[in-house]
C-alpha cells in the first residue's frame, strides 16, 4: 500500500516510516519542510525532525492547512495519522490550541478523505488517557471514556469524529489508544524531555539538573516500546474494514514512577537527582491496559515488553546526545 504518514518527523513517525518499508509498503511522509532539520516539537507526534529512510516520499503539508491535503492524499491507499500536540501539562495551559490542532487537523483530514471514492484506510493515534480514572485495572476498550485533561479530551473527540465518518462507509478506520511510548532504535531515541523515561535519563546524565516527581512516585503508567507501537500502526492498516471503526488498546509494560527511577539508576550506574512536587489533582493514579483485543484483531505482540529494555535504549540515546 501507498501510505501517507502525518506527524512523520516525530518520535513515533520516523519509526513508522521504517516499519512500513520493512513490511513492503510505500511510505509518504507529510512534513512541514522537505528536509526537516528540527529535533522535534512538543510531543512524540508533533515534531518535524527525523529521517524517512530510503524509499520514503516527502510531501509538504500540514493537517492544520486543509488546502495542502488534497494533493498530499490524492494517490495514497491509506493514512496513518500521528500529527498532534501531546504535552499534557501544556494542554492544561493551552486547551484551545490543543483542540484546534488535534481535533481541527483531524477534521481537515477526514473532510478530504471523505471526498475520495475508493474508501481509503485510516489509522489514528489516540491515547489511553481518554479513560480518565477507571474503576478497574487493567482497562479494556469496554471501559467508559472519561478524560480528565484537555489533551485526552481532544483525542477522544477525534475518535468520535473518525467513528462517525467511518459509519458513512467512506473509509475504514482503527483508533489505537497508545500507552506511553518509550525506547528507541539507533542513536536518536526520544528527544522529548517532558516524558518520564527520557527526563530520568537526562537527569542521570546531568543534561538537566533534576527529575521532577509529582506525588509520591507511586503513580503507575503503561509503557510500550516505540517499535512495538509502530508495528501496531502498520498492522492496523491491514485490519481496517470499510464502514467500520474499531478502537484498540496498545500497551506492554506497567511501571511506577519509582520503578522507572530505580531502573534508570541501575542501567546508568549513577544517581538520579530528584525534585518532589505535589501531584496534579487531575492526574490519574493508575493506568494499565488489557491488550487482548489488539492481539486478536491485529495478531500483534509486543517484542520489547520490559522496563529494562525501554530505559536501556533511552540511556544509550542520551549518552550519544550528550557526547
Amino acid at each position: 500500500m501507498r501510505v501517507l504518514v502525518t506527524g512523520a518527523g516525530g518520535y513515533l513517525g520516523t519509526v513508522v516510516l521504517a516499519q512500513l518499508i520493512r513490511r513492503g509498503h510505500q511510505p509518504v511522509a507529510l512534513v512541514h519542510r522537505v528536509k526537516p532539520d528540527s529535533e522535534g516539537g512538543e510531543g512524540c507526534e508533533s515534531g518535524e525532525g527525523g529521517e524517512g529512510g530510503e524509499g520514503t516520499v516527502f510531501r509538504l503539508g500540514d493537517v492544520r492547512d486543509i488546502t495542502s491535503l488534497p494533493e498530499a492524499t490524492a494517490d495514497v491507499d491509506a493514512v496513518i495519522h500521528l500529527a498532534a500536540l501531546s504535552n499534557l501539562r501544556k494542554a492544561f495551559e493551552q486547551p484551545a490550541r490543543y483542540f484546534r490542532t488535534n481535533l481541527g487537523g483531524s477534521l481537515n483530514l477526514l473532510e478530504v478523505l471523505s471526498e475520495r471514492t475508493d474508501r481509503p484506510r485510516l489509522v489514528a493515534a489516540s491515547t489511553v488517557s481518554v479513560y480518565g480514572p477507571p474503576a478497574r485495572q487493567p482497562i479494556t476498550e469496554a471501559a467508559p471514556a472519561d478524560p480528565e485533561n484537555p489533551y485526552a479530551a481532544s483525542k477522544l473527540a477525534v475518535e468520535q469524529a473518525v467513528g462517525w465518518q467511518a459509519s458513512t462507509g467512506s473509509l475504514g478506520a482503527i483508533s489505537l489508544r497508545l500507552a506511553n511510548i518509550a525506547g528507541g532504535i539507533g542513536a536518536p531515541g526520544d528527544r522529548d524531555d517532558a516524558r518520564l523515561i527520557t527526563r530520568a535519563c537526562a537527569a542521570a546524565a546531568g543534561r538537566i539538573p533534576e527529575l521532577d516527581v509529582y506525588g509520591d512516585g507511586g503513580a503507575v503508567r503503561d509503557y510500550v516500546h516505540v517499535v512495538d507501537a509502530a508495528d501496531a500502526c502498520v498492522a492496523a492498516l491491514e485490519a481496517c474494514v470499510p464502514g467500520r471503526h474499531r478502537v484498540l488498546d496498545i500497551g506492554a509494560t506497567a511501571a511506577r514512577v519509582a520503578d522507572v527511577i530505580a531502573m534508570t539508576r541501575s542501567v546508568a550506574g549513577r544517581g538520579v537527582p530528584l525534585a518532589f512536587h505535589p501531584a496534579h489533582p487531575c492526574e490519574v493514579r493508575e493506568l494499565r491496559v488489557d491488550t487482548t483485543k489488539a492481539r486478536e484483531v491485529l495478531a500483534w505482540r509486543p517484542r520489547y515488553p520490559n522496563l529494562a529494555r525501554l530505559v536501556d535504549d533511552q540511556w544509550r540515546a542520551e549518552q550519544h546526545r550528550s557526547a
Side-chain angles (χ1 to χ4, degrees):
M1 283 186 279
R2 192 171 179 86
V3 184
L4 180 73
V5 181
T6 74
Y11 174 39
L12 175 57
T14 54
V15 183
V16 167
L17 294 176
Q19 297 304 88
L20 283 168
I21 292 173
R22 291 188 181 97
R23 295 282 287 271
H25 300 294
Q26 169 65 69
V28 179
L30 188 69
V31 294
H32 298 164
R33 293 186 290 272
V34 174
K35 292 183 179 180
D37 54 15
S38 144
E39 289 187 354
E42 291 183 31
C44 68
E45 304 154 345
S46 61
E48 297 175 8
E51 299 295 334
E54 185 177 355
T56 299
V57 175
F58 288 89
R59 290 181 181 169
L60 289 172
D62 191 323
V63 294
R64 294 169 296 188
D65 176 15
I66 195 170
T67 64
S68 71
L69 297 180
E71 183 175 354
T73 61
D75 61 349
V76 301
D77 305 297
V79 177
I80 296 179
H81 179 36
L82 308 177
L85 299 178
S86 58
N87 186 304
L88 188 149
R89 297 188 187 283
K90 288 187 178 182
F92 280 108
E93 301 167 2
Q94 304 169 335
R97 180 178 176 229
Y98 272 65
F99 272 89
R100 185 181 305 113
T101 299
N102 296 354
L103 178 57
S106 300
L107 292 176
N108 287 341
L109 182 61
L110 287 172
E111 183 173 344
V112 170
L113 292 179
S114 71
E115 296 172 357
R116 299 268 299 268
T117 60
D118 56 344
R119 301 196 294 180
R121 304 167 189 239
L122 173 65
V123 176
S126 188
T127 171
V128 298
S129 60
V130 300
Y131 291 113
R136 295 183 179 181
Q137 301 282 350
I139 312 157
T140 71
E141 293 84 355
D146 185 20
E148 292 200 332
N149 64 74
Y151 165 63
S154 72
K155 283 294 195 175
L156 180 59
V158 172
E159 286 186 18
Q160 293 170 336
V162 170
W164 283 112
Q165 189 61 52
S167 71
T168 68
S170 62
L171 54 84
I174 291 178
S175 292
L176 298 178
R177 290 178 174 171
L178 298 167
N180 295 277
I181 300 174
I185 50 174
D190 181 17
R191 294 300 186 102
D192 184 359
D193 287 339
R195 284 193 285 268
L196 177 60
I197 291 177
T198 309
R199 193 166 183 82
C201 290
R207 186 170 56 79
I208 63 173
E210 56 198 10
L211 171 66
D212 296 306
V213 178
Y214 294 87
D216 62 1
V220 176
R221 292 293 181 269
D222 210 323
Y223 297 88
V224 60
H225 196 284
V226 65
V227 172
D228 291 326
D231 282 346
C233 289
V234 177
L237 288 174
E238 299 167 2
C240 287
V241 177
R244 186 175 181 184
H245 173 235
R246 286 182 284 192
V247 175
L248 302 174
D249 290 340
I250 301 294
T253 306
R256 300 175 305 152
V257 173
D259 297 329
V260 172
I261 295 170
M263 184 59 71
T264 303
R265 288 172 176 157
S266 176
V267 168
R270 61 183 73 179
V272 180
L274 306 175
F276 287 89
H277 309 277
H280 195 290
C282 290
E283 285 192 341
V284 180
R285 181 71 175 177
E286 182 176 1
L287 273 177
R288 294 183 295 115
V289 295
D290 183 333
T291 60
T292 300
K293 188 175 177 181
R295 293 167 186 257
E296 293 174 350
V297 173
L298 306 181
W300 171 86
R301 299 289 187 279
R303 289 189 271 168
Y304 309 113
N306 63 83
L307 184 60
R309 174 61 188 264
L310 297 175
V311 174
D312 186 67
D313 278 2
Q314 188 57 40
W315 177 243
R316 291 173 185 272
E318 181 61 43
Q319 290 180 299
H320 182 273
R321 181 175 181 177
S322 301

